[in-house]
Amino acid sequence: MSDIFVSGHKNPDLDSVSAAWCYARLKNMIDLENNYIPIRLGHMNATTISQFNKINVTPPVFIKDIKARVHQIMKREYWSLRPTDPVYSLIRFLKKNHTSVVPLIENDIYHGLLSLDEITLYFLKENSRSRPKYHFTPLNFSKVINGKVLQGNVNIEFDAYIMTGAMEFEVFCHRLNDLLPDLPMLVVGNRKRHLLYAVENQFPAIIITGLMPDEEVLVDLSHYKGLVYRSDEDTAETIRLLRMSLSVAELVSTDPPRVYVDDLFDDAKTVLVNSDYRGLPVFENDSFVGFVTRRCFLERPKAKVIMVDHNELKQSVEGLDEADIVEIIDHHRLDAEKTKRAIFIASEPVGSTCTIVYHQYLRWSAKIDKETAYLLLSGIVSDTVMLKSPTTTQVDRIAAQKLAIIAEVLDFEQFCEDLFSVASVLTQENEKSIIESDFKKYVESNIAFGIGQVEVNNLAQVDEVRDRYISQLEKTKFSYGLDWTMLLITDVRKENSILLCSTFLRNEKELIYPLINKQTYSLEKVLSRKKQLLPEIIRVIEEFY
C-alpha cells in the first residue's frame, strides 16, 4: 500500500483545505489499495479553522515539503552483534547474510557500525612490521576454538602478544627476552619445559594444543593463576582462530558520522559519498533506529501527489519537482508541469474546487456524509463569496443547494453570514500574516507580482492600518523577489473592495480604479481576485511593460 498526498496550494484558503480533505476521503473509499493523506501547505485562516471546529473534524496535517528523506530508505530491520562477540562471528555473519554493515547493539545501546572494511583493516594491521598486541576476551575462546577451559577465570580480559612454543627451549627463552617486561600468551603443545616456564612466570594464559583425549598435562597447574585452555585444533589453526576471538568492539576505531531520520536524501548521500564508510548509523533524536548503506541511495524514493485547487509547480508543495503527480483537481487556468505518464485531470470552469470534488463523488456514486457535505459547501460559499462572485456558475449554485440538504443547513443565508462573520479584523491581526495567508504569485511579461486577499466585515478599518500594510507590502515584495505586491481587502456583505499596493512604476496612473489615497484604490463591486482584479493587473503590465 502506497501513501498518496492530497495537497492544496500554498497559503491555503478554505476551498483548498476542504477540497483536499474531502477528495482524500473519497479516494480512500474507492481505492483500498492505497492510503490517501490530505495535507496543507501553511497555516489556516480563522474561517477555515472555525469551519473544521464546528463539525469536530481534524483538518489536513501541515507538511513543509515532500522531499526524499532518510527514513524512506533506511534499514529498520536488521541483525546485530554485541560488542563482546568475536570477530569470527562477524565474518560468518557478513558471509551468511550478504550485508555490507552490521550494527553493534547491547541492551538497546548503540556501540558502532562495522563492515568488511574494518575486518580488512584489522588483518592489514596484523601484517604490518610491528608485532601486534591483542586485547583478549577469554569468554570468546570456546565460541571460536574447539576445546575447553581447563582452569582459570574466563571473565578476566587481558592484553598480550601471542607466542608459540614450537622452537627449542633455549631459543624460546631468547625470543621471550625480546618481549619483556610484557608476558605473552603461550600457544604450545604438551611440552614440559615450555609449560613449566609459563607457569612459574605466570603468563596471562596458556593454550595447550595437540593433547590426546586421555592425555594429561605434563606440569602441575595448581599454583598457576592464569587461564588454561585446551584446544582441539593444531597450533597453527589455534593461532589463526585466536586472532578472530577478539571482541568486535576492538575493530571500532572511529564512529561513522551520524544521519537522522528526517535528513534530506541528498544531504545524507553527500555525507556517505564523502566518507570512507560503507554505511552510516541513523538516529531519531538520541536513539539508534537503523542504518543506510551506499546501496540505499541507488534509487531516490518519490512521493505521490494529487494537486488540488492548483496545478502550477510554484504554488505547490516543496519537492514536487522530484515527486510523481498522479492527479490534478482544479478550477484555475492550466499551467501544469509535464508528467511522465498520462494522469487523471478534473478541470472545470467553476467557482470552487469543492464543486469539482462534489462531482467526483457523483461520478463514483459515493455516499456523501454530513461532515463531507458541510466542508464542501463551506469551500464553495467561501470561494464564490456567498455565490456572489463573478466566478460563480450555475453549476456551483446547484452543488451548493444539494450539499446544503445533505449537511442539514436549514438557513443558507445564515450559514453564509456565520461563515464570513469570522472575517479578519485588520487592526488586531499581524499584517504579514494577513498579506501572506492567501497570497498568490504570478509572472506576466517578465514582471513578477503577488496578490493577497482578505475578507473583512467592513472597510472602515482600512484607513487606520493602511500605512502599516503598505509598508509590509514593500517588505513582502523584497522577501519574495517580486516587482509588485498587492492586498485586496474585501467586504463580502457590501460587495466592495479596497486595493493596497506596493510601489510600482506607473501603476497609479494606469489602473482603471479610483485612487483614493497614496497606493490605495477603491474597487466597487469587485470580489474576485482571479476574475476581476487579475485581468486588470495583467492589462496594465502587457500594455505598458
Side-chain angles (χ1 to χ4, degrees):
M1 178 177 286
S2 298
D3 287 338
I4 300 177
F5 296 113
V6 183
S7 173
H9 53 70
K10 293 177 179 176
N11 304 317
D13 54 16
L14 179 55
D15 184 41
S16 172
V17 178
S18 295
W21 189 93
C22 294
Y23 194 62
R25 188 165 191 150
L26 170 64
K27 296 296 290 186
N28 282 320
M29 292 168 60
I30 63 177
D31 179 8
L32 302 181
E33 295 183 357
N34 294 293
N35 179 38
Y36 294 84
I37 304 171
I39 64 172
R40 57 184 171 87
L41 309 183
H43 298 295
M44 297 181 294
N45 58 35
T47 303
T48 303
I49 295 172
S50 174
Q51 293 305 100
F52 274 85
N53 286 342
K54 283 180 180 178
I55 57 173
N56 196 29
V57 168
T58 303
V61 295
F62 169 73
I63 287 186
K64 180 181 179 182
D65 63 67
I66 54 170
K67 294 179 179 179
R69 283 183 152 72
V70 167
H71 66 80
Q72 296 172 270
I73 59 168
M74 61 181 284
K75 302 289 186 182
R76 291 182 178 272
E77 296 182 0
Y78 51 84
W79 293 95
S80 65
L81 294 175
R82 293 172 299 178
T84 54
D85 285 335
V87 173
Y88 181 78
S89 296
L90 174 61
I91 295 172
R92 288 176 59 87
F93 180 89
L94 291 173
K95 182 179 180 180
K96 178 182 177 181
N97 294 282
H98 305 288
T99 183
S100 55
V101 296
V102 180
L104 304 184
I105 308 289
E106 189 167 36
N107 298 325
D108 296 326
I109 299 175
Y110 167 80
H111 290 270
L113 203 63
L114 292 178
S115 69
L116 286 171
D117 292 337
E118 282 72 37
I119 296 174
T120 302
L121 181 61
Y122 167 64
F123 284 110
L124 285 175
K125 286 182 177 179
E126 279 223 322
N127 291 289
S128 62
R129 295 198 173 191
S130 59
R131 185 167 189 159
K133 191 175 187 179
Y134 304 98
H135 182 78
F136 287 104
T137 303
L139 271 173
N140 286 340
F141 289 174
S142 59
K143 299 176 184 178
V144 178
I145 306 168
N146 291 322
K148 64 179 181 179
V149 176
L150 297 181
Q151 71 173 55
N153 188 348
V154 294
N155 294 309
I156 299 176
E157 300 180 1
F158 59 90
D159 295 329
Y161 299 104
I162 296 176
M163 189 170 186
T164 65
M167 63 204 78
E168 292 295 331
F169 182 71
E170 290 75 15
V171 178
F172 167 75
C173 293
H174 176 73
R175 294 288 180 86
L176 185 61
N177 289 332
D178 294 335
L179 300 179
L180 296 176
D182 294 320
L183 294 173
M185 177 170 65
L186 179 62
V187 182
V188 66
N190 199 8
R191 307 183 71 178
K192 185 174 182 178
R193 296 182 70 187
H194 295 71
L195 288 170
L196 187 60
Y197 187 93
V199 170
E200 290 175 348
N201 288 277
Q202 294 295 325
F203 281 22
I206 301 172
I207 312 295
I208 304 175
T209 64
L211 286 176
M212 298 300 289
D214 56 353
E215 185 178 358
E216 297 292 332
V217 179
L218 296 177
V219 298
D220 179 16
L221 299 174
S222 59
H223 298 290
Y224 178 61
K225 298 178 181 178
L227 180 83
V228 180
Y229 189 84
R230 172 177 176 159
S231 171
D232 296 338
E233 310 292 345
D234 59 50
T235 300
E237 180 65 3
T238 298
I239 292 174
R240 185 183 76 86
L241 294 174
L242 273 173
R243 294 189 176 107
M244 289 193 285
S245 73
L246 271 65
S247 298
V248 289
E250 298 298 313
L251 275 59
V252 181
S253 55
T254 57
D255 194 20
R258 296 183 176 188
V259 294
Y260 293 84
V261 289
D262 287 328
D263 285 351
L264 293 175
F265 176 93
D266 289 329
D267 292 345
K269 181 179 180 180
T270 299
V271 172
L272 182 55
V273 169
N274 292 333
S275 75
D276 296 325
Y277 298 97
R278 289 177 181 256
L280 301 176
V282 179
F283 281 77
E284 187 169 9
N285 297 322
D286 294 326
S287 300
F288 174 81
V289 291
F291 60 86
V292 289
T293 65
R294 293 176 184 265
R295 184 179 294 275
C296 295
F297 294 95
L298 292 179
E299 185 175 352
R300 179 193 300 273
K302 288 188 174 183
K304 295 181 179 180
V305 180
I306 296 176
M307 301 174 71
V308 173
D309 200 30
H310 70 297
N311 63 82
E312 299 179 49
L313 192 65
K314 62 187 178 183
Q315 293 184 2
S316 198
V317 59
E318 295 294 329
L320 187 65
D321 54 337
E322 57 186 58
D324 280 337
I325 301 171
V326 296
E327 291 186 31
I328 295 175
I329 313 294
D330 194 21
H331 69 131
H332 298 96
R333 64 175 186 173
L334 287 175
D335 190 19
E337 292 294 306
K338 182 179 178 180
T339 58
K340 293 183 179 180
R341 56 183 175 83
I343 65 170
F344 177 74
I345 298 177
S347 177
E348 299 180 32
V350 292
S352 166
T353 298
C354 281
T355 300
I356 305 175
V357 174
Y358 168 68
H359 291 163
Q360 292 305 304
Y361 273 86
L362 299 181
R363 175 179 179 238
W364 289 98
S365 300
K367 181 181 179 180
I368 303 176
D369 58 28
K370 183 178 178 180
E371 290 80 9
T372 302
Y374 186 91
L375 290 176
L376 289 174
L377 179 62
S378 298
I380 293 172
V381 169
S382 173
D383 229 34
T384 62
V385 192
M386 303 182 183
L387 302 178
K388 297 177 182 179
S389 169
T391 61
T392 310
T393 66
Q394 185 62 18
V395 175
D396 297 302
R397 295 186 182 93
I398 293 172
Q401 182 182 15
K402 299 290 186 181
L403 290 167
I405 295 173
I406 300 172
E408 300 178 8
V409 173
L410 302 179
D411 188 337
F412 180 74
E413 295 298 327
Q414 187 60 48
F415 175 86
C416 295
E417 288 291 330
D418 291 344
L419 189 149
F420 282 97
S421 67
V422 195
S424 298
V425 179
L426 298 181
T427 56
Q428 299 176 5
E429 302 283 349
N430 176 273
E431 48 268 24
K432 183 177 185 296
S433 299
I434 289 291
I435 292 170
E436 298 182 10
S437 65
D438 184 10
F439 188 74
K440 294 188 176 179
K441 294 176 284 184
Y442 310 89
V443 177
E444 291 289 339
S445 301
N446 293 323
I447 299 296
F449 61 98
I451 306 174
Q453 185 171 16
V454 59
E455 290 91 14
V456 297
N457 291 321
N458 66 77
L459 296 174
Q461 54 187 299
V462 174
D463 285 341
E464 181 180 347
V465 299
R466 181 181 62 249
D467 290 343
R468 283 167 41 201
Y469 277 79
I470 290 177
S471 174
Q472 181 57 47
L473 283 169
E474 295 292 347
K475 296 176 183 177
T476 300
K477 179 176 73 172
F478 177 79
S479 64
Y480 281 92
L482 303 174
D483 300 296
W484 195 6
T485 50
M486 292 155 270
L487 176 63
L488 184 65
I489 306 171
T490 302
D491 183 338
V492 295
R493 291 183 173 84
K494 294 185 178 180
E495 300 181 40
N496 292 327
S497 297
I498 287 178
L499 181 69
L500 302 181
C501 299
S502 68
T503 53
F504 184 66
L505 185 63
R506 300 177 65 174
N507 72 318
E508 293 189 2
K509 297 180 180 180
E510 308 305 341
L511 287 172
I512 62 172
Y513 308 117
L515 181 67
I516 59 175
N517 211 317
K518 183 179 179 182
Q519 297 168 238
T520 308
Y521 300 86
S522 175
L523 282 64
E524 291 189 9
K525 302 303 177 183
V526 172
L527 298 175
S528 172
R529 166 177 47 192
K530 177 176 68 176
K531 200 161 186 177
Q532 293 175 290
L533 176 59
L534 184 59
E536 171 62 10
I537 300 301
I538 292 175
R539 179 194 68 81
V540 170
I541 291 173
E542 289 180 343
E543 288 187 10
F544 299 98
Y545 295 93

